[in-house]
Amino acid sequence: MPADLNPAQLEAVRTLRGPLLVLAGAGTGKTRVVTYRIAELIRHRTPADRILAVTFTKKAAGEMLQRATQLLARGSKKGVRSQSSPDGRQRRETARPEISTFHSLCVRVLRRHIERLGYPRKFAICDRSEQESQARAVLRELRAPTAALSPGDLIAVVSRWKSASVRPDQAAAAAETDREHLAAMAYRRYQSNLKRLGIVDFDDLLLLTEELFARFPTVRREEAARFDHVLIDEYQDTNHSQYAIVKALAIGHRNLCVVGDDDQSIYAWRGAEVTHILRFQQDWPEAKVVRLEDNYRSTAAILNYANTLIAFNRHRHEKTLRPARPGGLRPAIMQCQDETDEARRVVTDIRQLIEQDRAQPRDVAILCRTNEQPRSFETELRRANVPYVLIGGMSFFDRREVRDILSYLKVIDNPHDEPALRRIINQPPRGIGNAAQQRFLDEATSRGKFLWDVLPDAIVVDGVDAKTAAAVASFRRLIDELRALAGKFGIAQLVQNVIDKTGYRDALLKLYPDPAERESRLASIEEIVNAAAGYDRDRRAASQMSLSGFLDDLMLNQRDDSDEKESQLARNAVALMTLHSAKGLEFPHVYLVGMEDGILPHKRSLAMEHDSAIDEERRLCYVGVTRAREFLTLSFALTRRKWGKPRPTTPSRFLYEMTGQAKNFRPVATGRSPASPPRRPTSKPSRR
């Protein structure tokens, strides 16, 4: 075992049997422990493909697999004996651990068993636009006014229920407001429509897997029997379904290792339950607990603020980050007159760092609590000619041309994918207008058939003229031709055929006369070809290449922005992002802005009557502080505009807590004047 592991890391790596909780504080080498542990299991003759490791992003899963593979390769050069299976036969050299995201794991399970739940084996995964379309149709059926519940609102409520394992027949009991009761009625219809169409949404991947394991013990046993060891990364971020799935897979052998940090649990708004990591020892009484507390990222001065802050959360595992790097400059507190002054001073500070060659733009991050805050910083960064990138902008998969090409691929794979078929039947325009489409839909409904199956009879559908029927026949021939090509080439060649044979490229050129817009749109469809080529390369050797598999990968990536974030961060530009987006990242210079009560902690949390909401906000602040390696600046404004008028603010209670002045904080709710700003350290940072 290498000497680059500290004693706590070594203990976690060498604990190979039974339940294990690894409490990995920020910057303590969590990924190293997970990958070394996988390699150690294999060295101790656990077959590689009997190990399951699950995390939350494709990037993290890829990193984990790459590092584990490198460790094993290094070990084999040093004479580590090759693996044998339990019956003594040599295992395939290609065997490797199964390392994936939760959603990828669930797709594989559902592809094997979803028919038991009444869905087709070749189910489709719908994207956000398809969800909104289904939600809009349901609300129209219920004649619900948009002011009462918009399609986006319905999707958000349903997603929250699904994350908490609340099913349609349970939603009415869970509803607390008139709006939620309306959502409960819509949820039942929404889910029924998805099932009828043979499609699932992103949350269903988890919920339906949980349901499979609960209703069909043989399925649970079959899936659990695939593995002897289960490792879960970022366990503090698991929701109810993920918690149930993990338990179902590990309950037999009990070789479950979970790694996480309750102090970095910041996703309650999307269903994560910090109680899962807090009560791990109750769920698994024989569990061993290992604390990783040696921080290799931040200076002692920064960690002092982080430790002091998070200690105010009462419901947490006791741990204190210890700095491997002593000293460092005390974090600076920047007091500003208003939000404009805050943006100006922060950007001036950054520009000076760059001009004086003390930092590259990519070394700096500006972290905000809300999505609205970046506007003033963008304005100042542009004015100062400082390059920046706004992390978390429009997703690649939200672009019109990307959704069009993917819809073609979905229909080629499964013509009964009705939302995809409706998207492309007249895209590019081919003379099949909205009125004709509605007549085809009505005909399909009256016959109890899929839309695709009534298109051959277009000429006899009431209200459809000969010209439209001819366009439909041409469209069907095009899809049939592309379907015939699907098995003959790799996926990249198929995508290229779709672009060429549909005339999509020419249509784009006509639609967008502006050269820059054209280039951007063409670059998007080129990226689909590139993604397909990468898929072909990765899967060809394992003979696992299929259009369904490619679409599964792409649809899962829609909700996983790790690749897009990495691409954005590769630019030499200041990173401007929310605190939630910053999780997992680190920068030499961090500006944590808007440190005011009502922003951080957020006003919604302040309005709640329980401490858990403030605790989550404190964890979010802690995540922001621990992103900084060398320098941290905390800024706040004395006034901030509300509806055009300047209003006095209260410095964040977290500033008082970090600086040891918690007793001096007076919230505005007490009726007294806003608290005076913390006294130390004072406003302008001396290092600048």
Side-chain angles (χ1 to χ4, degrees), residues 124-312:
I125 306 168
C126 65
D127 61 19
R128 173 75 186 198
S129 66
E130 290 166 351
Q131 279 185 280
E132 288 193 358
S133 176
Q134 292 300 323
R136 191 173 292 108
V138 164
L139 292 171
R140 197 179 298 124
E141 288 173 22
L142 293 173
R143 299 186 179 181
T146 303
L149 189 69
S150 71
D153 292 337
L154 174 58
I155 291 169
V157 174
V158 169
S159 179
R160 177 162 52 83
W161 276 334
K162 287 185 177 182
S163 294
S165 297
V166 175
R167 290 164 175 78
D169 58 347
Q170 302 166 323
E176 297 179 352
T177 64
D178 290 344
R179 185 167 168 271
E180 288 184 349
H181 279 288
L182 176 58
M185 287 191 288
Y187 179 15
R188 187 183 292 271
R189 293 195 182 202
Y190 168 83
Q191 199 65 18
S192 176
N193 287 352
L194 291 190
K195 189 171 185 178
R196 178 178 56 79
L197 293 168
I199 58 181
V200 301
D201 65 24
F202 203 65
D203 296 306
D204 284 332
L205 297 176
L206 301 175
L207 190 66
L208 294 177
T209 302
E210 179 193 359
E211 185 177 342
L212 262 176
F213 288 170
R215 286 178 52 191
F216 302 99
T218 54
V219 171
R220 183 197 64 77
R221 286 193 292 269
E222 179 185 331
E223 292 298 322
R226 292 174 177 271
F227 307 105
D228 297 323
H229 287 267
V230 177
L231 296 90
I232 309 296
D233 190 20
E234 304 286 8
Y235 190 65
Q236 78 279 352
D237 294 337
T238 52
N239 65 23
H240 189 280
S241 289
Q242 289 160 335
Y243 170 81
I245 291 166
V246 169
K247 197 167 186 179
L249 292 174
I251 197 69
H253 53 67
R254 303 185 76 79
N255 292 322
L256 172 64
C257 171
V258 303
V259 183
D261 182 10
D262 50 298
D263 290 335
Q264 296 186 76
S265 179
I266 60 173
Y267 296 117
W269 53 275
R270 68 183 190 195
E273 298 182 35
V274 69
T275 52
H276 295 160
I277 194 168
L278 292 176
R279 71 181 189 209
F280 185 80
Q281 289 167 281
Q282 294 171 245
D283 293 337
W284 308 85
E286 75 275 33
K288 182 174 184 177
V289 179
V290 176
R291 288 172 168 79
L292 306 184
E293 298 175 297
D294 290 328
N295 176 284
Y296 299 96
R297 175 188 301 158
S298 307
T299 63
I302 292 170
L303 290 186
N304 179 53
Y305 269 42
N307 286 327
T308 304
L309 172 70
I310 203 62
F312 281 87

Side-chain angles (χ1 to χ4, degrees), residues 58-85:
K58 178 184 173 184
K59 177 176 179 284
E63 263 183 31
M64 209 177 284
L65 180 59
Q66 182 182 19
R67 290 199 200 180
T69 303
Q70 289 171 346
L71 284 173
L72 288 168
R74 189 167 48 178
S76 64
K77 289 177 183 177
K78 293 180 180 179
V80 175
R81 288 176 294 177
S82 58
Q83 283 187 348
S84 295
S85 59

Side-chain angles (χ1 to χ4, degrees), residues 45-57:
R45 297 186 174 275
T46 296
D49 52 6
R50 302 288 298 171
I51 300 169
L52 171 67
V54 185
T55 187
F56 280 81
T57 67

Side-chain angles (χ1 to χ4, degrees), residues 75 93 177 311 441:
E93 288 187 10
T177 64
L441 283 169

Side-chain angles (χ1 to χ4, degrees), residues 397-561:
F397 295 97
D398 288 335
R399 296 166 192 167
R400 172 182 173 179
E401 60 276 11
V402 173
R403 287 160 55 189
D404 288 345
I405 298 300
L406 291 185
S407 290
Y408 269 104
L409 295 177
K410 288 179 180 182
V411 172
I412 292 167
D413 187 51
N414 176 16
H416 291 157
D417 187 334
E418 211 150 283
L421 178 59
R422 291 175 63 183
R423 182 173 184 89
I424 58 151
I425 194 170
N426 198 43
Q427 189 60 254
R430 53 176 60 89
I432 310 173
N434 292 336
Q437 291 177 42
Q438 188 58 53
R439 289 190 173 94
F440 292 136
L441 283 169
D442 292 342
E443 183 73 14
T445 301
S446 67
R447 292 195 202 176
K449 290 187 174 183
F450 288 103
L451 174 61
W452 174 259
D453 296 331
V454 303
L455 292 183
D457 303 326
I459 192 64
V460 299
V461 173
D462 186 41
V464 174
D465 59 28
K467 185 177 179 182
T468 302
V472 169
S474 176
F475 171 70
R476 270 193 60 104
R477 284 195 300 273
L478 170 67
I479 297 300
D480 285 337
E481 181 183 351
L482 289 168
R483 294 193 76 204
L485 294 174
K488 297 180 179 178
F489 307 110
I491 309 301
Q493 184 61 48
L494 176 63
V495 177
Q496 194 65 63
N497 271 294
V498 168
I499 296 167
D500 294 341
K501 292 181 180 298
T502 61
Y504 196 87
R505 188 197 313 271
D506 294 337
L508 269 186
L509 296 178
K510 290 177 184 175
L511 192 59
Y512 300 103
D514 179 65
E517 182 78 356
R518 282 181 175 184
E519 185 179 346
S520 173
R521 302 280 177 174
L522 290 172
S524 293
I525 60 175
E526 178 190 2
E527 190 54 35
I528 303 175
V529 179
N530 294 340
Y535 175 86
D536 289 344
R537 182 196 63 231
D538 294 342
R539 299 302 177 94
R540 186 176 286 116
S543 301
Q544 294 176 338
M545 198 164 55
S546 72
L547 180 54
S548 295
F550 174 65
L551 288 170
D552 282 350
D553 279 4
L554 279 189
M555 298 309 292
L556 291 172
N557 286 347
Q558 286 198 44
R559 295 296 184 92
D560 180 354
D561 65 352

